[in-house]
C-alpha cells in the first residue's frame, strides 16, 4: 500500500488522490479518487448541480502522475508545464469513484510527458496529455 | 538537401506544429534553441520523443541533447551516426 502523504506534498483540501492501485515508477500508475459531497469546490460548482470542475480532473491526473517518480516529492519543486489535447466527455459527480490512469510517454531534462485518463465504472470522463516539470 | 536532413526537418515541423513552415525555411546551421528557431524545453522533449519514434534513435541525456540540438545539420549527423543500419 502506497503511503500517499509520504510521497506527495499536497494536503487537504487539495490532495486529490485517495489510493494508489498500481504503480510502476517511470511507466504507469493507476490511482483512485472518491468524490465526496464534502469537497469544498462543489459548494459553488454549481449551487444547484454539484460536479467536479474539469480542471480538477487534470489536477488529479497530475497528482497521480507524481507517483511515476520513484522518490517522494517532498522538497522537490514540481510544476504542471503543459496540457495538450484535453477532452472532457462526461462530468464527475459526488459519489463517483474515479479511476486515474497515467502512462509515461517519455522524459528529458527534468520534463516528463504523460498520457492520462479519468474514468468511472468503465465510462471515460476525461483524457489529456500532461507535461510536468521537476526542478 | 539529403533525404535524411529533409526528413529531420519534416519531423521538426510536424512534431512542433510549426504550421506554415516549409523544410527549406529551416537553415541547416541555425541553432534550434535560443535564437534561430527559438525552441524551448517542452519542444526539446517533443523532439526527443519524435526522434525516437521516427528514427529509432534515443537521446539519453542532456549532454547528448546539447550535441544533437546544435542545429539541423548536427541533429542529422547525430541520427545518421546512431541509427542502426
Amino acid at each position: 500500500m502506497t503511503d500517499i502523504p509520504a510521497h506527495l506534498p499536497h494536503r487537504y483540501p487539495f490532495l486529490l488522490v485517495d489510493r494508489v492501485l498500481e504503480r510502476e515508477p517511470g511507466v504507469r500508475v493507476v490511482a483512485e479518487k472518491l468524490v465526496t459531497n464534502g469537497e469544498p469546490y462543489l459548494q459553488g460548482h454549481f449551487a444547484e448541480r454539484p460536479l467536479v470542475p474539469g480542471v480538477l480532473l487534470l489536477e488529479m491526473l497530475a497528482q497521480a502522475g507524481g507517483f511515476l517518480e520513484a522518490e517522494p516529492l517532498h522538497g522537490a519543486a514540481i510544476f504542471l508545464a503543459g496540457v495538450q489535447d484535453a477532452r472532457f466527455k462526461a462530468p464527475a459527480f459526488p459519489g463517483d469513484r474515479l479511476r486515474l490512469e497515467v502512462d509515461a510517454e517519455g522524459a528529458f531534462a527534468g520534463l516528463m510527458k504523460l498520457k492520462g485518463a479519468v474514468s468511472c465504472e468503465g465510462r471515460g470522463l476525461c483524457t489529456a496529455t500532461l507535461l510536468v516539470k521537476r526542478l | 538537401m539529403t533525404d535524411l536532413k529533409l526528413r529531420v526537418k519534416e519531423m521538426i515541423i510536424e512534431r512542433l506544429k510549426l504550421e506554415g513552415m516549409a523544410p527549406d525555411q529551416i537553415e541547416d546551421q541555425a541553432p534550434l534553441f535560443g535564437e534561430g528557431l527559438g525552441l524551448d524545453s517542452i519542444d526539446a522533449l517533443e523532439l526527443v520523443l519524435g526522434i525516437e519514434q521516427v528514427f529509432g534513435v534515443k537521446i539519453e541525456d542532456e549532454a547528448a541533447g546539447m550535441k544533437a540540438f546544435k542545429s539541423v545539420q548536427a541533429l542529422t549527423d547525430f541520427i545518421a551516426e546512431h541509427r542502426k543500419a
Side-chain angles (χ1 to χ4, degrees), chain A residues 73-98:
Chain A
L73 294 174
H74 291 277
I78 189 154
F79 304 102
L80 195 54
V83 176
Q84 301 172 344
D85 306 320
R87 295 282 183 280
F88 304 97
K89 298 163 190 170
F93 299 108
D96 282 352
R97 186 183 296 276
L98 303 180

Side-chain angles (χ1 to χ4, degrees), chain B residues 4-64:
Chain B
L4 183 59
K5 201 187 293 173
L6 179 62
R7 286 176 60 211
V8 168
K9 288 183 180 182
E10 286 170 347
M11 183 274 297
I12 293 171
I13 289 168
E14 197 197 320
R15 193 83 194 185
L16 303 184
K17 301 187 171 81
L18 303 176
E19 275 152 37
M21 196 166 218
D24 59 14
Q25 288 174 286
I26 303 177
E27 287 177 42
D28 294 357
Q29 303 298 341
L32 296 180
F33 295 88
E35 72 261 57
L37 274 186
L39 305 184
D40 62 20
S41 61
I42 292 176
D43 297 322
L45 172 58
E46 290 293 350
L47 283 186
V48 167
L49 297 177
I51 291 159
E52 192 174 339
Q53 195 179 64
V54 176
F55 302 105
V57 171
K58 270 197 169 177
I59 296 182
E60 297 284 357
D61 52 26
E62 286 168 70

